[in-house]
Amino acid sequence: MIFGFTNVGFPVVRGKVARSQDTEDRRSRHCPYLDTINRGLKSHAYTHSVQFTHHVFLNLHTLKFYCLPDNYEIIDSSLEDITYVLKPTFTKQHISGLDKHGKLYRAYDGTTYLPGIVGLNNIKANDYANVVLQALSNVPPLRNYFLEEENYRGIRRPPGDIMFLLVQRFGELMRKLWNPRNFKAHVSPHEMLQAVVLCSKKTFQITKQGDAVDFLSWFLNALHGALGGTKKKSSIVTKVFQGSMRIFSKKLPHPDLPAEEKEALLQKEEYQEEMLESTFLYLTLDLPTAPLYKDEKEQLIIPQVPLFNILAKFNGNTEKEYKTYKENFLKRFQLTKLPPYLIFCIKRFTKNNFFVEKNPTIVNFPITNVDLREYLTEEAQATEKNTTYDLVANVVHDGKPTEGAYRIHVLHHGTGKWYELQDLQVTDILPQMITLSEAYIQVSL
């Protein structure tokens, strides 16, 4: 690919790019002209350079600059900033120090920013994907893996497989988000989202609002598979997020049957409780039904529930009925292994044949020291050393189910401060304010 810069090009003198006072300005502007052939006499790039007097071109594969139509390579250290923005690189030493300081960096447009705490463009209706990508970019083990392309470059995929594109684009986005030499204090996720549209077969789109939990579930599983992971073979995704649980399930007789017939059925083997060992990448927490009545001031009550009330689902004793089209089951859950990073998805939306309803219940959760020891089996309690978690990312959904917007609260490890990100806007926020939001997805360490 060949890429043309600025409508006047850089002035070229004796084989090098001449420096001028507005060079920094010109670097940040470019002509959106792409060509996939070459720079020969009959190429589009050559014609473009003559017709529009755009003289400096960049090969996006080799990251070499050329002057056209003279067709010679330009070697100048002042152009390194451009190639670094296109393809940032990180050393192990740099990566190891990312969470140890809170140094502000100045972008070329004059704004200051913290690497990793940068906005993402909402192209049309992709904020549901942006918040998930921003949350994952602030999980250090996952981030560190993708900052070094060597970690996944050698993974072999079957011929014609497009899913590895997801890995490549996610790695590129991760490096751009953490780039200390960005031109601007925000990043465009366009290439990443194009890969999402392609790999999900248009299930998730840029122009149509989606559900952040649905996207998170698909993305983690797709990323695991694209990295060569299977049910038996692990990947960085399962190493970071996978835990395990026991699911106790018992089939229920149809509620309309006579009592005597129900009793007879409950004695049969198919109605006895079964236990299944299962893994998970996130835990779904069910909210209590929101009240339909108004208070004495004729205002709708905004209900609240403590986090530990909805976590009781996993204590091994709490039973809940699950209905399918044909059968009903009574289930209870108990955790057997906790992951290094734990994801909670708070079930706010319920769908029926006519519309989607949102439960506005506020979950009262502590920011630090959420202890899950009591939700583990006795055997797991004896082996699990660390059972407490601290929040690192909190995804919030505001507004109506189909017309709402997403934002995210992120903890910057270097400064210990919390920031709120919504599209391009980045603001600091007090931890006390985070607990007042309609939390939808939470990532904890």
Side-chain angles (χ1 to χ4, degrees):
M1 294 183 187
I2 308 295
F3 192 76
F5 283 89
T6 73
N7 58 347
V8 294
F10 291 118
V12 180
V13 180
R14 295 183 180 177
K16 288 192 175 183
V17 177
R19 301 297 299 275
S20 63
Q21 291 183 353
D22 65 341
T23 297
E24 302 293 353
D25 254 357
R26 297 188 180 195
R27 284 184 199 167
S28 63
R29 304 194 311 268
H30 59 265
C31 150
Y33 172 79
L34 291 172
D35 178 63
T36 55
I37 305 175
N38 52 45
R39 58 183 188 278
L41 294 176
K42 294 183 179 180
S43 68
H44 293 294
Y46 183 93
T47 305
H48 187 86
S49 69
V50 174
Q51 186 174 357
F52 295 98
T53 64
H54 293 178
H55 297 301
V56 179
F57 291 79
L58 171 62
N59 186 306
L60 293 179
H61 290 294
T62 64
L63 298 183
K64 292 181 179 181
F65 288 88
Y66 295 92
C67 178
L68 296 180
D70 298 335
N71 197 16
Y72 60 81
E73 184 181 349
I74 303 169
I75 301 173
D76 192 286
S77 59
S78 66
L79 299 174
E80 289 178 3
D81 293 330
I82 297 170
T83 56
Y84 190 85
V85 165
L86 287 171
K87 193 174 182 180
T89 54
F90 293 81
T91 63
K92 292 186 183 296
Q93 184 179 1
H94 186 186
I95 293 172
S96 64
L98 287 176
D99 299 323
K100 295 179 181 178
H101 62 79
K103 182 181 177 182
L104 285 168
Y105 290 85
R106 188 174 296 277
Y108 282 105
D109 64 358
T111 56
T112 56
Y113 70 99
L114 282 167
I117 309 295
V118 295
L120 287 173
N121 291 84
N122 187 357
I123 299 166
K124 188 168 184 182
N126 55 276
D127 56 343
Y128 73 95
N130 285 358
V131 291
V132 171
L133 297 171
Q134 284 166 325
L136 296 178
S137 73
N138 280 277
V139 175
L142 189 73
R143 173 202 67 195
N144 296 350
Y145 179 88
F146 281 96
L147 286 180
E148 287 191 273
E149 193 176 356
E150 293 76 18
N151 289 331
Y152 56 84
R153 182 184 289 161
I155 294 175
R156 294 184 178 182
R157 300 296 299 165
D161 178 53
I162 61 169
M163 296 304 290
F164 195 68
L165 184 64
L166 209 61
V167 175
Q168 294 172 319
R169 293 291 179 261
F170 186 59
E172 290 169 6
L173 178 65
M174 201 73 77
R175 290 189 287 275
K176 289 177 181 178
L177 285 171
W178 286 89
N179 181 7
R181 292 159 58 181
N182 272 328
F183 283 172
K184 296 181 180 179
H186 61 264
V187 171
S188 172
H190 191 256
E191 292 86 356
M192 174 75 240
L193 295 173
Q194 282 183 319
V196 166
V197 173
L198 180 65
C199 295
S200 71
K201 298 179 181 178
K202 296 185 179 181
T203 301
F204 301 100
Q205 299 187 37
I206 300 173
T207 57
K208 184 181 178 183
Q209 183 69 285
D211 185 281
V213 170
D214 291 344
F215 175 70
L216 173 70
S217 177
W218 173 82
F219 187 72
L220 289 179
N221 283 286
L223 205 59
H224 170 64
L227 288 166
T230 61
K231 287 185 177 180
K232 294 183 178 180
K233 185 180 178 183
S234 66
S235 70
I236 186 63
V237 175
T238 53
K239 287 176 183 176
V240 174
F241 296 117
Q242 185 171 280
S244 60
M245 69 169 78
R246 287 177 182 168
I247 303 174
F248 300 89
S249 180
K250 184 165 58 176
K251 187 178 177 181
L252 296 176
H254 196 280
D256 295 336
L257 292 175
E260 293 180 0
E261 195 171 337
K262 285 183 184 178
E263 288 293 329
L265 287 173
L266 288 172
Q267 303 304 316
K268 293 186 176 181
E269 187 177 347
E270 67 174 302
Y271 287 88
Q272 303 307 304
E273 188 174 70
E274 297 178 350
M275 191 268 285
L276 173 69
E277 296 277 355
S278 178
T279 58
F280 65 86
L281 293 176
Y282 61 88
L283 295 176
T284 302
L285 304 181
D286 303 315
L287 291 174
T289 305
L292 301 175
Y293 305 103
K294 296 182 179 181
D295 61 13
E296 61 274 8
K297 295 181 181 179
E298 290 299 307
Q299 293 179 337
L300 284 173
I301 301 168
I302 299 178
Q304 300 184 39
V305 61
L307 174 66
F308 293 101
N309 283 21
I310 56 178
L311 272 173
K313 172 182 178 180
F314 299 100
N315 63 12
N317 298 317
T318 304
E319 292 182 320
K320 185 178 179 181
E321 187 174 347
Y322 291 83
K323 298 180 179 181
T324 64
Y325 181 71
K326 292 183 178 180
E327 299 170 322
N328 296 349
F329 291 89
L330 206 59
K331 293 186 179 183
R332 55 191 179 94
F333 308 88
Q334 192 166 26
L335 305 180
T336 55
K337 181 186 175 185
L338 294 172
Y341 281 78
L342 182 62
I343 301 177
F344 288 146
C345 295
I346 299 168
K347 191 175 181 181
R348 291 201 173 272
F349 302 105
T350 52
K351 300 177 182 178
N352 56 36
N353 293 331
F354 305 101
F355 53 85
V356 179
E357 283 185 293
K358 180 183 177 182
N359 189 327
T361 300
I362 301 294
V363 179
N364 296 322
F365 56 89
I367 299 290
T368 58
N369 295 320
V370 176
D371 194 349
L372 299 183
R373 181 170 293 278
E374 65 179 283
Y375 307 105
L376 290 165
T377 60
E378 290 184 6
E379 302 94 319
Q381 288 184 24
T383 56
E384 289 277 352
K385 294 180 180 179
N386 183 24
T387 59
T388 59
Y389 287 88
D390 297 337
L391 190 68
V392 296
N394 180 56
V395 173
V396 179
H397 182 272
D398 298 310
K400 297 179 181 179
T402 55
E403 301 172 9
Y406 287 93
R407 55 193 169 97
I408 183 172
H409 303 127
V410 174
L411 173 66
H412 186 264
H413 298 279
T415 60
K417 293 182 179 179
W418 282 90
Y419 292 87
E420 181 177 278
L421 290 76
Q422 186 167 20
D423 300 334
L424 300 181
Q425 295 181 338
V426 179
T427 54
D428 53 358
I429 186 172
L430 293 172
Q432 300 91 310
M433 300 300 293
I434 296 171
T435 59
L436 302 176
S437 60
E438 295 180 14
Y440 192 35
I441 300 171
Q442 294 188 330
V443 184
S444 301
L445 165 60

